[in-house]
Amino acid sequence: MCANLVHPTDSGESFTVSSRYLAGTVVSSLHKLKDVDNKDGGFFVFGDISVRVEGRYRLRFSLFEIIRDEVVHILSEISDVFTVYSPKAFPGMSESTFLSRSFSDQGVRIRIRKEHRIQM
């Protein structure tokens, strides 16, 4: 699966997948992992993807299958709209989800926010 940055109106126009907009790994292989109910599932994990330019965006996730020497597009799905903040306006990190923690415990390399730190 690969991820591309698209406009929040989903006009079909993608931003160029370049270092100007996206950073990190924009492709993922299928991981067989346990979900929050401890059931086996297939997940595509984008553990270090980030957007460098502030604004409102969506991600388009496109699934491909390799059959012999041919790559076949299976489907695409669009994420909800999200906001990328400037460093000064960033509201702070939210707590890591139970699913994220579970994936990390199963060996997936993703950053996990451990717990709130109290500054004195």
Side-chain angles (χ1 to χ4, degrees):
M1 182 168 287
C2 69
N4 289 299
L5 200 60
V6 296
H7 288 280
T9 57
D10 186 26
S11 61
E13 182 179 346
S14 294
F15 292 93
T16 304
V17 181
S18 70
S19 59
R20 179 162 184 246
Y21 287 99
L22 283 179
T25 307
V26 296
V27 296
S28 175
S29 296
L30 182 67
H31 295 268
K32 181 181 176 186
L33 301 166
K34 301 276 187 189
D35 65 10
V36 294
D37 297 322
N38 205 31
K39 295 181 181 171
D40 287 333
F43 298 89
F44 296 94
V45 180
F46 294 86
D48 69 345
I49 193 169
S50 63
V51 181
R52 294 180 176 202
V53 180
E54 66 182 286
R56 292 177 50 82
Y57 305 97
R58 290 178 184 243
L59 286 170
R60 179 188 308 124
F61 297 99
S62 299
L63 178 64
F64 296 89
E65 183 177 10
I66 300 172
I67 303 171
R68 295 188 193 113
D69 60 347
E70 186 178 348
V71 177
V72 179
H73 177 258
I74 304 297
L75 63 92
S76 291
E77 193 67 37
I78 304 289
S79 74
D80 290 337
V81 175
F82 61 91
T83 302
V84 176
Y85 296 94
S86 69
K88 287 185 178 181
F90 182 63
M93 293 291 292
S94 57
E95 191 92 14
S96 295
T97 65
F98 181 75
L99 184 62
S100 297
R101 290 175 189 273
S102 174
F103 286 175
S104 177
D105 291 345
Q106 294 174 68
V108 176
R109 301 184 96 188
I110 53 177
R111 289 185 178 197
I112 297 297
R113 185 152 177 98
K114 297 293 182 194
E115 48 187 71
H116 291 294
R117 295 184 180 159
I118 300 172
Q119 294 182 342
M120 295 183 198

